[in-house]
Amino acid sequence: MHFKWKNTPTSEAEESAAQTLASKLNIAPVLARLLLRRGITTESAAKRFFRPQLTDLINPFLMKDMDLAVDRLNDAIGRKERILVYGDYDVDGCTAVALVYKFLKQFYSNIDYYIPDRYDEGYGVSRKGVDYAKETGVSLIIILDCGIKAVDEIAYAKEKGIDFIICDHHVPDEKMPPAVAILNPKRPDDSYPFKHLCGCGVGFKFMQGFARNNGIPFSQLQPLLDLCAVSIAADLVPVEGENRILAYHGLRQLNQSPSTGLKAIIEVCGLLGRPITMSEIIFKIGPRINASGRMENGKKSVDLLVEKDYATAIQVSEHINEYNEQRKDIDKQMTEEANNIVARLDTQRHHTSIVIYDENWKKGIVGIVASRLTELYFRPTVVITRDGDVATGSARSVAGFDVYAAIKSCRDLLLNFGGHTYACGLTMKWENVKEFQRRFQKYVDFHIMPEQTEPILEIDAYLEFRDITKKLHSDLKKFAPFGPKNPKPLFVTEDVYDFGTSKVVGRQQEHIKLELVDSKSNNVMNGIAFGQSGAARYIKSRRSFDIAYTIEDNVYRHGAPQLQIEDIHTVND
């Protein structure tokens, strides 16, 4: 698939400001322009961006109900109540539960954790979970990465004498659950300055507030930042503001002294001794933590994340890795089936969205399939399966389109739904699926902009190969960690040629390993183009073409710059 390349020209005023900022920071003007487009206009702001400080974390007590949550937790500990840390079965939920449990366990022993079974209990607070809490003597549940919509379930718990502290980041409904405290920066009545924390981030802020209230030094929280980094990367929240600080220091922790469980995952992934970035978390670490909840029960992932014995952690990690291999097989099969369904939809080219369903698909995999279809077809997508009389689905969106609002417009058809702008989960009676499909697609047709369904690459700058110096590569690394709202800068070099040594590689000959020269500087650059072997014949013909790419480390050449080519435009395009 070829993308349309979009580049916003730099105005004279921007160019002048970039030159001034570049001079002050001793960086290339192209990098100064990248800072300006991220809203960073001064030398001091740039230094804070390049070196985020933990001292700049926001006061946790600015979050609404933080004082109530800390007071209730203090009371529970003082009265020796049994506490249950309860969370969702995805990466964000599992890391959040592990973080809160590990921190509190240092000071208090009458505490346990619980992850609901995706297949038996479904998403969020379940009556079975509440009953388990009652049977085991729990009087306080701290729920993480879910709970904001569990009005009936938390009322049920309250009848049984169980209090809830909610730590969530999903969009709340008008009616709030009857919890003793609700920590959620997306509450409309919350003036907390940063709205985009993940569930693990909200849990971290709760523990930060508890620590501050009890005179516990921040240094005891710092080792848990690796869990925050994993969660921020996997949950695809904006890597700006407070998330950038947590991710920056969390990655340092992950690389220098990861927790026992995460170190075991890193070893099983084959990443031991290699730098861990947000990409390694997204594509290697996160899927393995997720696999347990997708295939069986997410509690196994939390067991691993809180494990202290390395030999045991390796065993559990290898077991979870097996789940991930099973998940990949099912994922591949379901994606092929989903693509076949889309291909048979005669009217698909007229629709701006995709809603497909199959009674036999595995509930834990539909979210992955929705993501793959969204990436392939550039349409908001809902993938649905059946569990008895209930349909369960996952929705994913394209840049700039609020899929949560689209789902909410169909709420009268739904039993439950929740999520945020780009990802949602939902349930409904199976008999409502076709009407939901019609209504969802009608909403998207009316609200989506044409450019939101086009494959577009936002180009940051045009470079010549002579511009890609060791210093530019080193300075570019300071922009990390990358993610939403701080994507890897994307560059274009025009009129490049094969140096004569480019070749197709990969198990199925699907990638191209490149050595390229540009016509202006005659500098040679190494590159890799994943999944683009279709362009190999043209490239080997020694005709010129244009490339859009990010600049990465070549791990086989001591971190020398290498181009990761995202798209190739030939003269035939």
Side-chain angles (χ1 to χ4, degrees):
M1 175 180 291
H2 286 300
F3 291 82
K4 181 184 292 185
W5 296 354
K6 182 180 177 183
N7 175 244
T8 304
T10 307
S11 67
E12 286 187 19
E14 279 182 314
E15 194 58 47
S16 174
Q19 293 289 345
T20 302
L21 190 58
S23 177
K24 289 179 179 178
L25 296 170
N26 188 30
I27 61 174
V30 65
L31 299 186
R33 288 196 291 272
L34 296 182
L35 289 172
L36 292 173
R37 291 189 175 181
R38 284 159 172 76
I40 299 161
T41 58
T42 65
E43 183 180 1
S44 60
K47 287 179 177 177
R48 286 196 304 274
F49 178 76
F50 287 146
R51 293 187 293 276
Q53 300 296 311
L54 288 168
T55 51
D56 288 334
L57 288 173
I58 300 166
N59 178 354
F61 286 95
L62 293 179
M63 191 177 294
K64 189 170 180 61
D65 280 6
M66 183 62 75
D67 52 343
L68 298 177
V70 170
D71 286 348
R72 181 64 185 89
L73 179 54
N74 283 335
D75 287 346
I77 292 173
R79 294 197 291 252
K80 295 183 169 39
E81 297 178 47
R82 185 153 181 78
I83 299 170
L84 188 66
V85 185
Y86 189 127
D88 189 20
Y89 34 63
D90 68 359
V91 177
D92 194 13
C94 290
T95 53
V97 168
L99 186 150
V100 171
Y101 176 81
K102 286 176 73 172
F103 186 68
L104 292 179
K105 188 71 173 176
Q106 298 174 80
F107 316 104
Y108 190 65
S109 60
N110 195 13
I111 184 169
D112 197 3
Y113 55 87
Y114 186 91
I115 303 290
D117 186 295
R118 183 194 294 263
Y119 296 96
D120 184 37
E121 298 170 73
Y123 171 79
V125 186
S126 70
R127 293 202 170 211
K128 181 177 178 179
V130 172
D131 290 341
Y132 168 83
K134 182 64 178 177
E135 289 163 10
T136 54
V138 169
S139 54
L140 175 63
I141 295 177
I142 299 169
I143 188 157
L144 296 135
D145 192 36
C146 53
I148 196 63
K149 292 194 170 187
V151 176
D152 293 340
E153 292 81 4
I154 291 177
Y156 175 71
K158 193 173 181 181
E159 291 172 4
K160 292 181 173 292
I162 300 171
D163 285 340
F164 266 80
I165 296 171
I166 297 173
C167 302
D168 204 351
H169 71 122
H170 296 102
V171 179
D173 258 345
E174 290 78 10
K175 186 177 181 181
M176 297 283 212
V180 295
I182 299 175
L183 305 179
N184 186 337
K186 288 193 177 79
R187 286 179 62 165
D189 58 347
D190 193 338
S191 58
Y192 191 72
F194 186 70
K195 300 294 183 185
H196 303 294
L197 292 167
C198 57
C200 188
V202 178
F204 180 85
K205 298 305 296 186
F206 182 22
M207 293 301 95
Q208 187 188 3
F210 173 78
R212 181 178 293 196
N213 181 263
N214 286 279
I216 300 167
F218 186 86
S219 58
Q220 287 191 243
L221 269 170
Q222 207 158 333
L224 299 168
L225 286 170
D226 54 2
L227 291 165
C228 285
V230 170
S231 179
I232 289 166
D235 217 50
L236 298 175
V237 290
V239 186
E240 61 180 356
E242 198 161 32
N243 280 343
R244 180 171 175 82
I245 300 171
L246 294 171
Y248 178 88
H249 289 277
L251 281 173
R252 290 178 73 175
Q253 184 73 31
L254 194 61
N255 280 282
Q256 294 171 9
S257 183
S259 66
T260 302
L262 285 173
K263 185 179 179 182
I265 298 175
I266 289 167
E267 180 170 339
V268 167
C269 288
L271 297 172
L272 212 57
R274 291 172 55 181
I276 307 294
T277 68
M278 301 291 265
S279 291
E280 277 71 42
I281 295 172
I282 292 169
F283 295 111
K284 299 283 189 179
I285 297 171
R288 284 165 172 81
I289 296 173
N290 252 337
S292 178
R294 293 190 188 282
M295 301 304 296
E296 193 175 287
N297 191 298
K299 187 174 184 294
K300 290 187 184 298
S301 289
V302 182
D303 293 341
L304 173 59
L305 295 173
V306 303
E307 182 57 58
K308 295 179 180 178
D309 178 72
Y310 193 62
T312 303
I314 286 290
Q315 286 182 341
V316 178
S317 191
E318 287 174 345
H319 189 49
I320 284 175
N321 195 54
E322 290 173 11
Y323 282 144
N324 193 50
E325 293 303 313
Q326 295 170 24
R327 186 273 306 167
K328 286 195 282 189
D329 290 341
I330 296 171
D331 164 11
K332 183 180 179 181
Q333 178 188 336
M334 283 175 55
T335 301
E336 287 176 359
E337 291 172 0
N339 273 318
N340 289 335
I341 292 172
V342 174
R344 290 198 301 268
L345 295 176
D346 294 335
T347 59
Q348 179 54 47
R349 64 185 179 275
H350 303 301
H351 280 303
T352 54
S353 64
I354 296 170
V355 181
I356 58 174
Y357 48 90
D358 188 291
E359 296 189 18
N360 300 311
W361 283 339
K362 193 170 181 68
K363 186 161 61 169
I365 311 295
V366 291
I368 298 175
V369 176
S371 294
R372 297 201 192 289
L373 295 180
T374 302
E375 292 166 6
L376 185 61
Y377 295 102
F378 290 90
R379 302 284 191 273
T381 299
V382 187
V383 178
I384 299 169
T385 188
R386 184 171 186 169
D387 184 6
D389 294 332
V390 175
T392 300
S394 281
R396 298 294 184 270
S397 195
V398 294
F401 183 77
D402 187 348
V403 75
Y404 180 86
I407 299 289
K408 189 176 180 180
S409 73
C410 307
R411 66 182 307 163
D412 58 300
L413 299 173
L414 305 177
L415 298 172
N416 198 6
F417 72 100
H420 43 78
T421 304
Y422 294 116
C424 285
L426 61 148
T427 59
M428 72 189 91
K429 291 181 179 178
W430 182 256
E431 63 197 44
N432 288 341
V433 167
K434 288 190 176 179
E435 178 62 13
F436 169 82
Q437 181 184 47
R438 186 190 69 79
R439 294 249 303 268
F440 179 87
Q441 291 181 329
K442 183 178 179 181
Y443 180 95
V444 177
D445 284 344
F446 186 78
H447 289 89
I448 203 164
M449 304 294 288
E451 60 269 22
Q452 289 174 321
T453 60
E454 294 179 356
I456 293 174
L457 289 181
E458 296 280 351
I459 305 302
D460 288 287
Y462 284 74
L463 295 180
E464 296 175 19
F465 283 172
R466 65 166 66 111
D467 299 323
I468 306 173
T469 62
K470 286 183 179 179
K471 177 166 170 37
L472 181 124
H473 183 41
S474 175
D475 289 341
L476 192 58
K477 291 180 188 179
K478 297 176 185 176
F479 282 74
F482 298 111
K485 296 293 185 181
N486 184 42
K488 283 184 180 178
L490 193 61
F491 303 106
V492 163
T493 300
E494 297 176 313
D495 204 20
V496 304
Y497 299 83
D498 176 26
F499 188 59
T501 50
S502 298
K503 59 183 179 180
V504 175
V505 296
R507 188 177 298 173
Q508 297 177 322
Q509 300 286 284
E510 67 270 39
H511 315 307
I512 317 174
K513 187 177 181 183
L514 298 152
E515 280 193 313
L516 302 173
V517 60
D518 72 339
S519 58
K520 294 182 180 177
S521 65
N522 290 321
N523 288 30
V524 179
M525 289 295 305
N526 292 296
I528 184 75
F530 293 112
Q532 298 185 62
S533 60
R537 179 176 294 182
Y538 182 96
I539 290 168
K540 295 300 288 183
S541 73
R542 305 297 288 272
R543 286 177 286 177
S544 71
F545 52 97
D546 304 335
I547 53 172
Y549 57 88
T550 59
I551 302 173
E552 311 290 345
D553 281 344
N554 187 330
V555 295
Y556 302 106
R557 297 197 179 187
H558 309 290
Q562 173 179 267
L563 311 184
Q564 182 167 313
I565 295 164
E566 301 296 329
D567 198 28
I568 296 169
H569 279 189
T570 67
V571 293
N572 300 326
D573 295 332

